[in-house]
Amino acid sequence: MSEMKLYEVFIRAKSGLNHRHVGSLHASDAEMALMNARDVYTRRKEGVSIWVVESCHITASNPEHEHEWFDPAEDKVYRHPTFYPLDKEVENM
Amino acid sequence: MYSQGLTDAKGGDEPAELLAEFQAKIDREEKIEPRDWMPEAYRKTLIRQMSQHAHSEIVGQLPEGNWVTRAPSLKRKMILLAKIQDEAGHGLYIYSATETLGVTRDQLNDELLTGKAKYSSIFNYPTLSWADIGAVGWLVDGAAIMNQVPLCRTSYGPYSRSMIRICKEESFHQRQGYEIMTVLARGSKEQKDMAQRALNRFWWPSLMMFGPSDKDSKHSEQSMKWKIKRFTNDELRQKFIDATVPQAEHLGLTVPDPELKWNEQTGHYDHGEIDWNEFVNVIKGNGPCNKERMQARIKAHEEGAWVREAAQQYHANKKSEAA
């Protein structure tokens, strides 16, 4: 029997929230993945909506390159509000 | 399996029980998500409001871009660039959220470039001095935040989530603007005068950002019922005035409204009448910079065509290499 495909599972805990990655599972197609995800990941009503995406469709950044990949943001402290001191009288801005 | 946008739904003949259940859901403070059934008018209202909002973020880059090459120091220039980058990102978040309603990015883009869609009236004013960049951050972003904070609780999930992200990022915008004003207000007489003139120019247009007065606002009532909006235009405008006047006073600057007065009884500032003719005129396309802004957008879109084509070509080449 050929290997089943790997799917990543995303669940929305309640309306208004983002879908969040909860894990993965094997299935022969998307529809089966959805049913399996319901049975595996929402047995205690953990969600109101499920997304499944075949893992091979996810393009991920390389953890080994984490530093150089994200370092453009490292020296830009001025992107944060705390970079701009405010007088006490107007500090609630 | 399903279509993300229920584009076949028509307004008018929607089943009463669906409409009732929809309203009940809103009243229970449950969010509406893209796959949920929604009245066609709700969808249309959201597409209109969200796309206007996204367009405003994009066009809002232009008055700021005017000062990138002339910012008074490298630090100021880097800050301004970071802010403009944020505006582009904010436009992108809201465009993506709008696409969950079944419109395409191309459609939205077309509507902006053909003048069919509107964007905030404020961006049709010029930024004449460096102090205007301070005033834009302090007042324009201040007014935007006042409007956007309640939108974090708007009833449509994707819009709400994009607003939460935007508000988090936006908090630096207003503070950096106020800091520019602070430095100028405490500088030489010329600098203080420049700050005052910027306040004079941007005060009234900033108040207009909240839209028409409640008595003339044709969309307000239904949007409140659907909890797309949480406060009326006039309520938000009043909150903004109450928050901003003490900030101006703290800098020794004068708000250009002779009728502005603290009202002990109401606990709010009373203020003079807004020149609604000016507002309508700017919305209609006759503001100081409407034409310039649209030309700049169209030019950027046309001159960027080769980038989009190159990206497509790169993809095609890679595919044929792999084959």
Side-chain angles (χ1 to χ4, degrees), chain A residues 5-40:
Chain A
K5 287 184 279 196
L6 186 62
Y7 286 85
E8 301 298 325
V9 180
F10 300 82
I11 293 192
R12 188 202 300 288
K14 56 179 225 182
S15 77
L17 300 180
N18 289 304
H19 285 79
R20 291 189 72 160
H21 185 244
V22 291
S24 55
L25 49 73
H26 287 95
S28 59
D29 65 10
E31 207 177 333
M32 184 199 266
L34 207 50
M35 283 193 281
N36 289 355
R38 180 197 60 189
D39 295 343
V40 176

Side-chain angles (χ1 to χ4, degrees), chain A residues 12 14-18 31 34 49 51 78-87 89-91 93, chain B residues 1 30-31 33-35 75 78-79 82 85 138 161 171-172 174-176 178-179 186 246-247 250:
Chain A
R12 188 202 300 288
K14 56 179 225 182
S15 77
L17 300 180
N18 289 304
E31 207 177 333
L34 207 50
S49 168
W51 286 348
Y78 48 82
R79 283 179 176 161
H80 299 274
T82 43
F83 185 73
Y84 308 90
L86 290 178
D87 292 342
E89 296 84 346
V90 290
E91 69 187 354
M93 188 175 289
Chain B
M1 224 163 64
E30 275 176 49
K31 296 285 184 236
E33 294 294 348
R35 312 278 178 65
K75 179 183 135 190
M78 282 167 29
I79 293 168
Q85 264 188 319
W138 170 34
R161 291 189 287 275
S171 56
F172 110 68
Q174 190 188 16
R175 284 175 73 136
Q176 68 85 36
Y178 192 72
E179 200 239 358
R186 291 176 186 166
Q247 294 164 359
H250 180 70

Side-chain angles (χ1 to χ4, degrees), chain A residues 12 19 51, chain B residues 3-6 31-38 43 96-97 99-102 156-159 161:
Chain A
R12 188 202 300 288
H19 285 79
W51 286 348
Chain B
S3 86
Q4 193 172 35
L6 302 166
K31 296 285 184 236
I32 307 302
E33 294 294 348
R35 312 278 178 65
D36 297 344
W37 185 86
M38 63 184 87
R43 179 187 307 279
S96 307
E99 286 175 76
T100 65
L101 292 160
Y156 187 54
Y159 195 22
R161 291 189 287 275

Side-chain angles (χ1 to χ4, degrees), chain B residues 88-214:
Chain B
H90 295 173
L92 188 72
Y93 302 156
I94 310 171
Y95 278 133
S96 307
T98 315
E99 286 175 76
T100 65
L101 292 160
V103 281
T104 65
R105 185 76 61 93
D106 285 346
Q107 262 173 279
L108 296 174
N109 222 351
D110 267 4
E111 285 178 4
L112 174 64
L113 297 180
T114 56
K116 200 182 150 213
K118 302 267 183 259
Y119 55 87
S120 179
S121 57
I122 192 76
F123 301 117
N124 292 313
Y125 291 85
T127 42
L128 300 176
S129 77
W130 171 251
D132 286 8
I133 294 300
V136 165
W138 170 34
L139 301 173
V140 175
D141 289 302
I145 290 169
M146 205 53 94
N147 190 31
Q148 287 173 167
V149 168
L151 281 175
C152 293
R153 295 191 295 124
T154 193
S155 58
Y156 187 54
Y159 195 22
S160 146
R161 291 189 287 275
S162 64
M163 279 302 124
I164 291 168
R165 186 173 279 263
I166 287 172
C167 284
K168 223 180 265 175
E169 296 180 358
E170 190 112 44
S171 56
F172 110 68
H173 295 188
Q174 190 188 16
R175 284 175 73 136
Q176 68 85 36
Y178 192 72
E179 200 239 358
I180 291 176
M181 295 302 267
T182 307
V183 169
L184 293 173
R186 291 176 186 166
S188 66
K189 180 171 183 309
E190 286 79 7
Q191 286 174 313
K192 187 168 181 183
D193 289 347
M194 188 163 82
Q196 180 63 55
R197 285 197 300 272
L199 172 57
N200 295 349
R201 278 195 286 275
F202 276 92
W203 176 256
W204 291 105
S206 299
L207 297 189
M208 293 174 198
M209 283 176 69
F210 295 96
S213 172
D214 293 351

